[in-house]
Amino acid sequence: MLCALIMAGGKGTRFWPLSTENKPKQFLSLLGEETMIQMTVNRIHRVIPYERIFIVTCEEYKKYIQEQLPYIPEENIILEPMGRNTAPCIALSAFEINKKFKNSSMVVLPADHLVRDEERFVSIIRESYGFVDNNPKSIVTIGIKPTRPETGYGYIEYDAKSLNGGLKKVSRFVEKPNIDKAMEYLKNGNFLWNSGIFLWNSNYILELMRQYLKDTYNLLKDVYDGPMEKYDENLKKAYEKAENISVDYAIMEKINNIYVIDGELGWDDVGSWKAISRYNLKDLRENIKMGKVKLINSKNNMVVSSNKKIILADVEDLIVVESDDMIMITKMDNIDKVSSYKDKVQEE
């Protein structure tokens, strides 16, 4: 039996001022009418029914999930009392999923990534599930074939000779490289971008947590073995002591039974305004318009309106973003700097 875990607790502010800690990008419509998390749920629902789709997030974001995804059972919304990186998040969720669907398999997905080739995505998930179902003490991850020397992503090196169907044996996980290393990885040809999508057996990931993240495992196990009427109280105490560490550092870099499948999915983690400029349709004058926008004799602008109508006339090469409480305007050349303006605004 296959379940899905969607991680939706990120506080990302790379799309500031539209995305904030109060409402981060997974709950925004950045690439069409659907929000990022709606796109993710609808995509995985092609393989997994709603009753086996779980979302892990924090208390303050629960309202957005219930508003945007009313068909997800409330008991499938797993709440972290505080952020502790992906390893405790996954351990907590594995305990919860394993309680409801014993010895199931889990596909773990970020809530806010773009996948344009959904047919290929569905095919890869089914192939990966088949492998893990037959090899429950193994892990499959989806890697993305690099198209540029990207320094903003982690990489996966694989053994090109170790084929198992469409799966290749992972040699190592590599953190975000500098530009020279990224160029080297692109040239070598046996490196893939790390998509952050994993598939494993729920019992097996808990076994690995017990082995490599023993203190956190025991803290959470005590919560689930304890009285349910004290669950919230005990979970908060446990999380305060849990290790703040990613699943890559905690486990993936320490084991050797991980396989990667090359996922040419039209994938992007949509991590910046530049990504929005890559994937949103442009008009004949290279403008991107989101929301109530009117452009007059203007070209090569990105204009994002949340509420008010924005009119630009006789201008070019601008980014304009209107959020609930501010309007940000800068030159298109500064597209990579937008999120850095947040700190300067808060200093005032």
Side-chain angles (χ1 to χ4, degrees), residues 281-287 289 298-300:
L281 291 176
K282 299 180 180 180
D283 67 16
L284 295 177
R285 306 201 69 185
E286 296 296 305
N287 296 296
K289 300 180 289 184
S298 298
K299 66 179 182 180
N300 194 37

Coordinates of all heavy atoms in Angstrom, one line a residue, residues 281-287 289 298-300:
L281 N 3.5 32.5 -18.9 CA 3.4 32.9 -20.2 C 3.6 34.4 -20.3 O 3.2 35.2 -19.5 CB 2.0 32.6 -20.8 CG 1.6 31.1 -21.0 CD1 0.2 31.0 -21.4 CD2 2.6 30.6 -22.1
K282 N 4.3 34.8 -21.4 CA 4.6 36.2 -21.6 C 3.7 36.7 -22.8 O 3.4 36.0 -23.7 CB 6.1 36.4 -22.0 CG 7.0 36.0 -20.8 CD 8.5 36.2 -21.2 CE 9.4 35.8 -20.0 NZ 10.8 36.0 -20.4
D283 N 3.4 38.0 -22.8 CA 2.7 38.6 -23.9 C 3.6 38.9 -25.0 O 4.8 38.6 -24.9 CB 1.8 39.8 -23.4 CG 2.7 41.0 -23.0 OD1 3.9 41.0 -23.3 OD2 2.2 41.9 -22.3
L284 N 3.1 39.5 -26.1 CA 3.9 39.8 -27.3 C 5.1 40.8 -27.0 O 6.0 40.8 -27.8 CB 3.1 40.3 -28.4 CG 2.0 39.3 -28.9 CD1 1.1 40.0 -30.0 CD2 2.7 38.1 -29.5
R285 N 5.0 41.5 -25.9 CA 6.1 42.4 -25.5 C 6.9 41.9 -24.3 O 7.5 42.7 -23.6 CB 5.5 43.8 -25.3 CG 4.6 44.3 -26.4 CD 4.4 45.8 -26.4 NE 5.7 46.5 -26.7 CZ 5.9 47.8 -26.6 NH1 4.8 48.6 -26.3 NH2 7.0 48.4 -26.9
E286 N 6.9 40.6 -24.1 CA 7.7 40.0 -23.1 C 7.3 40.4 -21.7 O 8.1 40.3 -20.8 CB 9.2 40.3 -23.3 CG 9.7 39.7 -24.6 CD 9.7 38.2 -24.7 OE1 10.2 37.6 -23.8 OE2 9.1 37.6 -25.6
N287 N 6.1 40.7 -21.5 CA 5.6 41.1 -20.1 C 4.9 39.8 -19.5 O 4.3 39.0 -20.2 CB 4.5 42.2 -20.2 CG 5.1 43.5 -20.7 OD1 6.0 44.1 -20.1 ND2 4.6 43.9 -21.8
K289 N 2.1 39.0 -16.6 CA 1.1 39.7 -15.8 C 0.4 38.7 -14.9 O -0.1 37.6 -15.4 CB 0.1 40.4 -16.7 CG 0.7 41.5 -17.6 CD -0.3 42.1 -18.5 CE -0.8 41.2 -19.6 NZ -1.8 41.8 -20.5
S298 N 4.4 49.1 -22.8 CA 5.5 48.7 -21.8 C 5.9 47.3 -22.2 O 5.2 46.5 -22.8 CB 4.9 48.7 -20.4 OG 4.5 50.0 -20.0
K299 N 7.2 47.1 -21.9 CA 7.8 45.8 -22.3 C 8.7 45.2 -21.3 O 9.3 46.0 -20.5 CB 8.5 45.9 -23.7 CG 9.7 46.7 -23.7 CD 10.4 46.7 -25.1 CE 11.6 47.6 -25.1 NZ 12.3 47.6 -26.4
N300 N 8.9 43.9 -21.3 CA 9.8 43.2 -20.4 C 9.6 43.5 -19.0 O 10.6 43.8 -18.2 CB 11.2 43.4 -20.8 CG 12.2 42.4 -20.2 OD1 11.9 41.3 -20.0 ND2 13.4 42.9 -19.8

